[in-house]
Amino acid sequence: MAPIAVSPDELERRKILGVNAETVTNVTSTDFPGHYPGEEHVWDIQSFSDSFSIKFYKNDRYDSSFSLIGVDASIANAFRRILLAEIPTLAIEHVFVHNNTSIVQDEVLAHRLGLVPLTGAAEGLKWIRYYPKQAEGESTPGAADYNTVVLKLHIECTKNLHAKKGEDDPLKLYHNAHVYAHHMTWEPVGRQTTMFPEPHGVIRPVNPDILLAKMRPGQVIDLEMHCVKGLGADHAKFSPVCTASYRLLPTIDIIKPILGADAKKFARCFPKGVIGIEEVTETEARIEGSGYEGHAGEKRAVVVNPFRDTVSRECLRHDEFVGKVKLGRVRDHFIFGIESTGQYDSDALFLESVKVLKAKCTDLKRDLGNIMR
């Protein structure tokens, strides 16, 4: 039996998740073989290439937003999880405290230091290897220039002898009253000088103004930090993103006219810019069955930009809009937001997640081949 041809309108309808007042409908994907009698839905690289697309809305260095269109939720979620936990970064792992007379306890200070995002030359960060883990019964593996980056922090708080009489601002009364991330210094070892060239490639905090501690005269912090490469799956400090999330593109269909005062009320049910107010034209008022007959010149509600909608469902709470509007989301249109901690550019992070997923697929394909032998 020849495959049944499905109209484009029907295919689009199947992609819409229904958002109702208290329920969500059509949540399960159905575009797979055997679900609809007579329809194939066999995955094909050509049809996937034709339907897949990426659209950028924002592409700042550390913050990007884009749409991934034409993929299944499992693929989009795989990218999100990889972004959070499986892209390696450099972070402080070991802190050797030589002297700490501040009020911040050693372990608390070490934890704060571990969470300071670091950056440096991209090629150098790729060159750094994982620090070998110590197996039970083995001696501690040695640190080397290719697996460990050393940072130092030595700072002492002293009185400012030139402060004005009656001054009560600690930053003016004392020197080094506040300890910031920029007080950490990088100690290059071996080939690191070449791999992390000055001035912009050196290992340094992404934000130099992160407050680490507060001190008063006579207090000292003197410590050494060893940075290693790790994954967010092991500890959040290794995660390359502040956040990586996605949402489905909202849809708003006005199926019956919303006019006059109701149109203004309807617009207030949505974030600014989602719904607009227009006048009913003479042409529209002459179309039979449009619902605008005899309403020429009146105000009506129109959908302007559903992208901005948060799908609060506020409009479904009001009786005057019952049966006049349908809310939904497009099943295969994922709006991603990626905010980098600074070690990678935000758009490069998504490319890194693609590389990781591709490597996983290659490993799975090889293992399946071994099973079949």
Side-chain angles (χ1 to χ4, degrees):
M1 181 173 114
I4 298 174
V6 185
S7 68
D9 290 342
E10 173 61 16
L11 291 175
E12 286 300 316
R13 185 195 65 79
R14 293 176 184 176
K15 289 182 181 180
I16 304 301
L17 281 71
V19 178
N20 307 313
E22 296 182 359
T23 61
V24 180
T25 57
N26 195 30
V27 296
T28 306
S29 298
T30 58
D31 52 346
F32 54 85
H35 185 83
Y36 294 102
E39 299 180 20
E40 284 193 351
H41 295 290
V42 177
W43 191 86
D44 176 69
I45 184 64
Q46 187 58 49
S47 59
F48 172 77
S49 299
D50 293 340
S51 60
F52 176 73
S53 63
I54 297 178
K55 181 180 180 182
F56 268 86
Y57 307 107
K58 180 181 182 182
N59 193 16
D60 296 340
R61 185 174 184 184
Y62 298 138
D63 190 10
S64 64
S65 176
F66 59 91
S67 282
L68 204 63
I69 306 168
V71 297
D72 189 74
S74 58
I75 303 299
N77 196 45
F79 287 135
R80 183 190 66 84
R81 291 172 65 95
I82 290 171
L83 284 164
L84 290 171
E86 298 190 55
I87 296 176
T89 63
L90 191 73
I92 296 169
E93 178 73 358
H94 304 289
V95 178
F96 303 93
V97 181
H98 303 305
N99 190 11
N100 176 24
T101 56
S102 72
I103 63 170
V104 184
Q105 299 94 331
D106 293 354
E107 59 272 22
V108 175
L109 181 58
H111 185 265
R112 288 179 67 84
L113 291 167
L115 295 175
V116 174
L118 304 174
T119 188
E123 290 303 317
L125 293 170
K126 291 179 181 178
W127 170 74
I128 293 288
R129 304 179 198 172
Y130 288 102
Y131 189 88
K133 292 184 178 180
Q134 179 183 1
E136 188 175 351
E138 291 184 358
S139 59
T140 304
D145 62 347
Y146 55 81
N147 62 25
T148 304
V149 173
V150 178
L151 299 174
K152 290 186 177 180
L153 176 61
H154 180 80
I155 189 167
E156 180 178 358
C157 182
T158 59
K159 288 185 178 180
N160 180 9
L161 300 179
H162 302 288
K164 295 179 180 179
K165 188 176 180 179
E167 181 63 64
D168 59 359
D169 184 354
L171 296 177
K172 296 178 180 179
L173 276 173
Y174 316 120
H175 297 296
N176 300 324
H178 290 181
V179 183
Y180 293 101
H182 64 76
H183 289 125
M184 297 190 300
T185 57
W186 172 52
E187 299 288 329
V189 179
R191 291 166 289 177
Q192 291 179 2
T193 306
T194 305
M195 301 308 298
F196 301 99
E198 295 185 0
H200 303 298
V202 299
I203 298 296
R204 62 197 185 278
V206 175
N207 185 347
D209 298 324
I210 296 175
L211 182 64
L212 302 176
K214 294 183 179 182
M215 299 196 299
R216 290 299 178 264
Q219 295 181 345
V220 179
I221 294 178
D222 183 14
L223 48 83
E224 181 175 306
M225 298 154 279
H226 287 190
C227 313
V228 301
K229 182 180 281 190
L231 298 175
D234 297 326
H235 195 286
K237 67 185 177 184
F238 291 114
S239 180
V241 295
C242 303
T243 182
S245 61
Y246 63 77
R247 62 188 178 97
L248 295 176
L249 177 70
T251 62
I252 305 169
D253 294 323
I254 298 175
I255 53 180
K256 291 184 179 180
I258 301 176
L259 303 168
D262 285 351
K264 294 180 180 180
K265 182 177 180 179
F266 185 73
R268 291 195 297 269
C269 292
F270 296 85
K272 188 176 180 179
V274 176
I275 301 298
I277 304 295
E278 295 181 357
E279 287 189 358
V280 179
T281 65
E282 293 287 349
T283 303
E284 291 170 330
R286 286 196 295 267
I287 300 175
E288 287 190 22
S290 65
Y292 297 120
E293 301 96 324
H295 296 286
E298 291 188 29
K299 303 293 184 181
R300 61 163 183 158
V302 294
V303 179
V304 176
N305 188 3
F307 180 90
R308 295 185 178 184
D309 187 26
T310 57
V311 195
S312 66
R313 299 191 264 196
E314 172 65 19
C315 64
L316 301 181
R317 297 178 59 247
H318 302 281
D319 293 337
E320 52 264 55
F321 305 134
V322 173
K324 293 185 177 181
V325 61
K326 282 187 178 181
L327 303 181
R329 289 184 181 269
V330 182
R331 184 195 310 282
D332 65 348
H333 190 134
F334 299 89
I335 304 169
F336 266 84
I338 300 176
E339 185 178 346
S340 171
T341 58
Q343 206 160 117
Y344 293 87
D345 290 350
S346 57
D347 54 351
L349 274 172
F350 183 72
L351 297 179
E352 290 296 320
S353 72
V354 174
K355 292 177 185 177
V356 172
L357 184 59
K358 185 177 179 180
K360 286 175 174 286
C361 294
T362 302
D363 292 342
L364 177 61
K365 185 178 179 180
R366 183 190 63 243
D367 293 342
L368 288 175
N370 293 335
I371 293 174
M372 297 301 292
R373 289 177 184 172

